[in-house]
Amino acid sequence: MQLKAQRSHYEERFPGAQDHVVLVGEKPVGRLWLCTNEDEIRVLDVAIMPVHRSEGLGTTLMRSVMADAHTSGRVVRLTVRRDNPRAISFYARLGFEVEAEDALNLSMTC
């Protein structure tokens, strides 16, 4: 039910967004949901199954998104919850910087 609500929200707010399945070999291990326009690549959601975390998959995915953005002259933008220090640290290590914030979220760009 939560996934259905999330999908509905993203489809309404970000028409044309694409939900990708992350594979290792032929095995699904995560997802990457992106919305791309001429100015930015917005990361709506990135998730790796817990048993596959800390294997470098998230870093590889994000570096690929960042390379695509760089090649096409776009920025990468995402929102992360303030109460997720592990994700904030991950994005900061990749070079993302906070561009805006509110009580719940940080908007980061690279």
Side-chain angles (χ1 to χ4, degrees):
M1 206 158 105
Q2 183 180 5
L3 179 61
K4 188 175 180 179
Q6 181 185 44
R7 179 175 297 281
S8 177
H9 170 75
Y10 286 158
E11 288 173 351
E12 180 180 310
R13 187 155 179 229
F14 302 100
Q18 296 181 332
D19 191 7
H20 305 275
V21 176
V22 177
L23 301 172
V24 171
E26 294 185 22
K27 182 179 176 183
V29 298
R31 70 188 277 184
L32 178 64
W33 206 332
L34 302 173
C35 183
T36 303
N37 64 41
E38 60 188 50
D39 299 321
E40 71 178 18
I41 298 175
R42 182 173 293 266
V43 178
L44 302 176
D45 191 25
V46 59
I48 304 295
M49 293 174 59
V51 298
H52 290 284
R53 292 183 187 155
S54 300
E55 295 177 1
L57 296 173
T59 299
T60 299
L61 284 173
M62 291 304 298
R63 288 196 191 281
S64 176
V65 170
M66 293 163 65
D68 182 35
H70 178 75
T71 300
S72 59
R74 295 178 279 194
V75 299
V76 179
R77 187 167 278 121
L78 55 86
T79 300
V80 61
R81 289 187 53 98
R82 285 178 168 277
D83 63 358
N84 192 345
R86 186 173 175 186
I88 294 167
S89 176
F90 169 71
Y91 294 126
R93 279 194 314 272
L94 290 172
F96 282 81
E97 296 180 355
V98 174
E99 68 174 352
E101 54 188 286
D102 62 29
L104 296 176
N105 300 302
L106 301 176
S107 177
M108 300 181 82
T109 190
C110 181

